[in-house]
Amino acid sequence: MKRHILLSFLVLAFVATSAAQNQPAVAELFDGRYNNAPYATVVYLSGSKVKAFNLTRYRSLTLTGNTRTAAAIEQLVSRDAASATDKEITRSGGQITYAALQIKGKDKNEIYCVFYRNRPAASDGHTRRLTLILTEGRATISELKEKFKQ
């Protein structure tokens, strides 16, 4: 009987973990915590505004000057990179400076793309600028890069 209870618990834990991984880790950053922050710009788009890009949702977050948050965001990007089916990552000084990640969604036709850019503060007066974009839909990284070029 103990085996059945233990097995049931393990199956439940696996199902709960799998359900939690439907979205990329960086999706938690779009919970509204930055909506009123003076150092942040947040954009949410859906519907007809993103349909031409073969997307259902577009979310972006740009932070300036906030060094503390950058490390936490980079950890989330690194976690997503581990499960990405297609990725391009550039590092400088041990930090991720650019990442383009493609992650399969729960539905086989659903694709999440994560674009991340971290421009550190420079001696020429530029402040740190971190940009994170999360898209959801059927568009791949390659397709989005091509459309953004136009």
Side-chain angles (χ1 to χ4, degrees), residues 72-94:
I73 293 173
E74 185 174 335
Q75 285 182 335
L76 295 172
V77 171
S78 294
R79 194 174 348 153
D80 286 336
S83 63
T85 56
D86 190 6
K87 60 185 161 190
E88 179 182 341
I89 298 174
T90 304
R91 294 180 185 273
S92 177

Side-chain angles (χ1 to χ4, degrees), residues 64-67 70 95 118-130:
T64 53
N66 194 328
T67 308
Q95 291 185 325
N118 182 0
R119 188 188 75 194
S123 58
D124 63 359
H126 284 97
T127 58
R128 172 184 291 276
R129 184 180 185 102
L130 184 144

Side-chain angles (χ1 to χ4, degrees), residues 28-43:
E28 75 179 52
L29 298 169
F30 297 97
D31 62 359
R33 71 181 84 173
Y34 296 107
N35 289 357
N36 297 315
Y39 57 88
T41 302
V42 184
V43 177

Side-chain angles (χ1 to χ4, degrees), residues 92-105:
S92 177
Q95 291 185 325
I96 298 175
T97 55
Y98 172 80
L101 313 172
Q102 182 173 305
I103 302 164
K104 287 184 181 180

Side-chain angles (χ1 to χ4, degrees), residues 12-142:
L12 269 167
F14 176 75
V15 169
T17 304
S18 298
Q21 294 176 352
N22 290 340
Q23 289 192 355
V26 296
E28 75 179 52
L29 298 169
F30 297 97
D31 62 359
R33 71 181 84 173
Y34 296 107
N35 289 357
N36 297 315
Y39 57 88
T41 302
V42 184
V43 177
Y44 299 96
L45 299 173
S46 62
S48 62
K49 293 181 181 179
V50 295
K51 191 173 185 177
F53 293 96
N54 209 8
L55 298 173
T56 54
R57 283 203 301 185
Y58 170 96
R59 296 172 273 183
S60 73
L61 171 64
T62 301
L63 304 174
T64 53
N66 194 328
T67 308
R68 222 174 18 145
T69 309
I73 293 173
E74 185 174 335
Q75 285 182 335
L76 295 172
V77 171
S78 294
R79 194 174 348 153
D80 286 336
S83 63
T85 56
D86 190 6
K87 60 185 161 190
E88 179 182 341
I89 298 174
T90 304
R91 294 180 185 273
S92 177
Q95 291 185 325
I96 298 175
T97 55
Y98 172 80
L101 313 172
Q102 182 173 305
I103 302 164
K104 287 184 181 180
K106 186 173 114 176
D107 175 5
K108 68 178 181 177
N109 294 321
E110 183 179 51
I111 298 171
Y112 292 101
C113 291
V114 175
F115 295 94
Y116 172 78
R117 182 165 184 231
N118 182 0
R119 188 188 75 194
S123 58
D124 63 359
H126 284 97
T127 58
R128 172 184 291 276
R129 184 180 185 102
L130 184 144
T131 303
L132 177 69
I133 298 171
L134 174 60
T135 66
E136 190 175 328
R138 293 183 175 206
T140 64
I141 288 176
S142 303

